[in-house]
Amino acid sequence: MSAKILQGKDFAAQIKESARKEVEELKQKFNVTPGLAVIIVGENPASQVYVRNKHKACEELGIRSENISMPETTTKEELLNKIDELNAAKDIHGILVQLPLPDAIKKDSEEILNRIDPRKDVDGFHPMNVGKLVTGNPGLIPCTPAGCIEMLDLAGIEIEGKRAVIIGRSNIVGKPMLHLLMAKNATVTVCHSRTKNLPEVTREADILVAAIGKPQFVTADMVKPGAVVIDVGINRIAPKKLVGDTDFENVKEIASAITPVPGGVGLLTVAMLMKNVVTATKLSVR
Ligand code: NAD
């Protein structure tokens, strides 16, 4: 039996529709229009596409968006000054710095991201928001893992009591995913590049999350029949061909549900960003 394909666009549309209603309500009740500022430094073509998609989503939902393009030669100080300016701006409720930064300031990425006011940190990367996630307090949560959880909820897939296995321990995906799944009462294992006997561990998963960054890494023999497979990976294997971290064609014959790449988790990431902008705006009117 072939798996149910969890189409990102269907879930993203639901998330965006509820965000759109909240934007409307914020305008009516508080006379506030949510505002997102996206800083992009340099000319990275993939980043340009991601940023365009974010602005497009803002436009759809009635969120004001500001694009701040800074040259490749921007110094750390110039970028920090721009963040300070946006932290103080009353009409900006969410700030994000598109990664990766150019090589000359890449090593300063953490310091730069930490300069964003945690109440405007719509990527959820600030240590204050990370701490809130770990301690189970409401804050701004990284968009990609938050989108995966929202999708499982919207698809009616039970998490409580399930055995979840995450492959990947990055700060952006793997680690926040651990806390989100644990908060939903799953029993979670996090695997990484030093994990021994990986297929043995992944075969125990009722919910398997792949966030590795290696094309078609998860093969059918690593998946328990009937498992739900969430593929976070985005890998370009040819100029116009993207694949996930899962061998989709073969794994879909075994799994009960699976996200495609493209068209899966990626679309949820942008939708959750919109939700985070709404949450940040609500924080500002409280
Ligand atoms: P990362 O490179 O920071 O982390 C990769 C993780 O995979 C590491 O923790 C590493 O330990 C683990 N890993 C590497 N090789 C392994 C192996 N052989 N066995 C087991 N584990 C191994 O990557 P990331 O930022 O977490 O991103 C992962 C993937 O998700 C990438 O393809 C990225 O493009 C994609 N991504 C997608 C979205 C989205 O919006 N859909 C957002 C963020 C990242």
Side-chain angles (χ1 to χ4, degrees), residues 130 133-136 141-142 144-146 148-149 152 159 162-192 207-211 232:
V130 175
L133 175 61
V134 173
T135 52
I141 302 167
T144 301
C148 296
I149 297 289
L152 290 172
I159 301 175
K162 293 285 171 63
R163 186 73 201 275
V165 175
I166 303 163
I167 319 176
R169 57 176 163 186
S170 72
N171 290 336
I172 297 176
V173 187
K175 283 185 204 158
M177 198 71 207
L178 156 69
H179 294 289
L180 290 168
L181 285 166
M182 201 158 52
K184 288 277 196 181
N185 300 317
T187 302
V188 193
T189 303
V190 180
C191 302
H192 45 76
I207 299 171
L208 180 60
V209 181
V232 181

